[in-house]
Amino acid sequence: MIEFNGKQIATDTQGYLLDVNDWEPALAPIIADGEQILLTDAHWEVINFVREFYLEYKTSPAIRVLVKAIGQKLGPDKGNSKYLYTLFPIGPAKQATKIAGLPKPAKCI
Amino acid sequence: MKILHHICSSPSESNALACALRFVGPKDTLLLAGNAVTAALLPHWLNAMDGYDLCLMKADVEARGLMTQLTRFRQIDYAEFVALTLTHHKVISW
Amino acid sequence: MKAIAIIFRQSPHGNAAGREALDLALMAATYEQQVHLIFIDEGVLNLLGNQQPELIGCKDYIATFKALDLYEVASVIVSEVSLCGFGLDKTALVYPATVADDGQIRQLLEQVDEVLVF
């Protein structure tokens, strides 16, 4: 559960939103705070990417797919694990999807 | 290439047998188990299975009281099932 | 690495078979297995575009088929006989699957290490 603008937003026990439609950009820094991440433009680029990926394919991308898809769209300097782990140290697939208001990826590898 | 086709549902329950018969090869074996044993009572399906090596799970036949009706078909126990999986290149459970 | 064929033979949304088959396919592909998806009989209906499963309370896993290339699956095969049986052709599909006859599908079933049917 997250308190936001006087609303209660339902999450699972690990903090992932239960309904993707509850998310709005202003919520991202609050979720990111819980992950001890201060959002920069570089973070936002990935967050927007995973959210668009989810809305198109209805699934949260696993890390291998995330790396590949980001490489295709944003170039090889960003489509690699090292870059993504710099932004999201615990795990890009786990953390970027959480901050983007998406369900936890079933395949966290 | 010998494939063992393991079918577990009757033709009225699912398209399992119909699908297996679309891809069965001349050296394959059809094994009817569970409710699939009833397919061996039906002329339409017997016709479709004609010419293929066919066997039934004995326990499933006996459990359903179909011993006399299905006596002309080869019936196998669980140990023979395992042996069959070893004499075929792969098993497809439809 | 193993070559795995995953067969979709049932209609979508009536039960969990299609979604489970796709989950397995993506999981296996993520683990770098060689994954082949084969759509036969009513299973071809999984690939139809314009589906809105959320209207009947089902998860829209159909949209995920569009991401198959990103998961690097080895092949996506749809049965010509089954497509024609429903009066459909390739243009109705959400993913550009390879149309194959039953003989070609049999060959693939022989080539792979494991065949899993949903």
Side-chain angles (χ1 to χ4, degrees), chain C residues 3-80:
Chain C
I4 303 167
I6 298 173
I7 298 183
F8 294 68
R9 66 163 171 83
Q10 301 181 62
S11 285
H13 318 311
N15 59 33
R19 185 170 49 77
E20 287 173 353
L22 180 60
D23 276 350
L24 175 67
L26 299 186
M27 185 80 84
T30 305
Y31 279 95
E32 300 188 344
Q33 304 301 301
Q34 188 194 109
V35 179
H36 303 267
L37 275 60
I38 304 174
F39 297 82
I40 61 167
D41 209 320
E42 293 182 1
V44 301
L45 301 173
N46 282 280
L47 286 179
L48 263 192
N50 296 323
Q51 297 193 49
Q52 301 173 70
E54 282 146 352
L55 289 178
I56 51 169
C58 294
K59 184 173 157 53
D60 182 10
Y61 67 90
I62 308 300
T64 308
F65 284 120
K66 292 183 288 183
L68 284 176
D69 286 342
L70 290 170
Y71 283 83
E72 296 180 12
V73 299
S75 71
V76 182
I77 310 277
V78 61
S79 157
E80 186 173 23

Side-chain angles (χ1 to χ4, degrees), chain A residues 7-73:
Chain A
K7 281 182 297 185
Q8 301 274 343
I9 294 176
T11 66
D12 69 8
T13 51
Q14 296 176 74
Y16 291 83
L17 296 202
L18 291 183
D19 184 347
V20 291
N21 300 313
D22 284 344
W23 188 86
E24 55 186 281
L27 191 55
I30 297 169
I31 306 173
D33 195 45
E35 301 288 312
Q36 286 157 359
I37 291 173
L38 191 62
L39 296 183
T40 63
D41 287 348
H43 291 96
W44 271 108
E45 195 171 45
V46 177
I47 291 164
N48 288 329
F49 182 88
V50 295
R51 187 146 176 107
E52 279 164 28
F53 185 99
Y54 183 88
L55 294 179
E56 182 170 2
Y57 300 122
K58 305 288 170 73
T59 186
S60 295
I63 179 65
R64 214 168 76 88
V65 173
L66 183 68
V67 165
K68 183 169 183 206
I70 286 184
Q72 284 179 358
K73 189 159 177 206

Side-chain angles (χ1 to χ4, degrees), chain B residues 21 30 45-54:
Chain B
L21 287 170
L30 295 164
W45 291 104
L46 277 177
N47 206 24
M49 294 186 287
D50 190 38
Y52 295 106
D53 181 35
L54 173 66

Side-chain angles (χ1 to χ4, degrees), chain C residues 96-117:
Chain C
T98 306
V99 179
D101 63 33
D102 285 3
Q104 291 167 316
I105 293 174
R106 163 78 194 193
Q107 273 181 13
L108 180 58
L109 296 182
E110 291 190 4
Q111 283 162 18
V112 297
D113 298 305
E114 302 289 344
V115 179
L116 298 155
V117 184

Side-chain angles (χ1 to χ4, degrees), chain A residues 16 35-38 40 42-43 46-47 50 61-68 70 76-97 99 105 107-109, chain C residues 30:
Chain A
Y16 291 83
E35 301 288 312
Q36 286 157 359
I37 291 173
L38 191 62
T40 63
H43 291 96
V46 177
I47 291 164
V50 295
I63 179 65
R64 214 168 76 88
V65 173
L66 183 68
V67 165
K68 183 169 183 206
I70 286 184
D77 53 324
K78 292 174 179 169
N80 65 76
S81 308
K82 187 164 174 255
Y83 172 75
L84 294 172
Y85 270 93
T86 316
L87 297 173
F88 303 97
I90 308 277
K94 276 186 193 171
Q95 290 185 302
T97 54
I99 297 166
K107 307 156 259 285
C108 261
I109 43 167
Chain C
T30 305

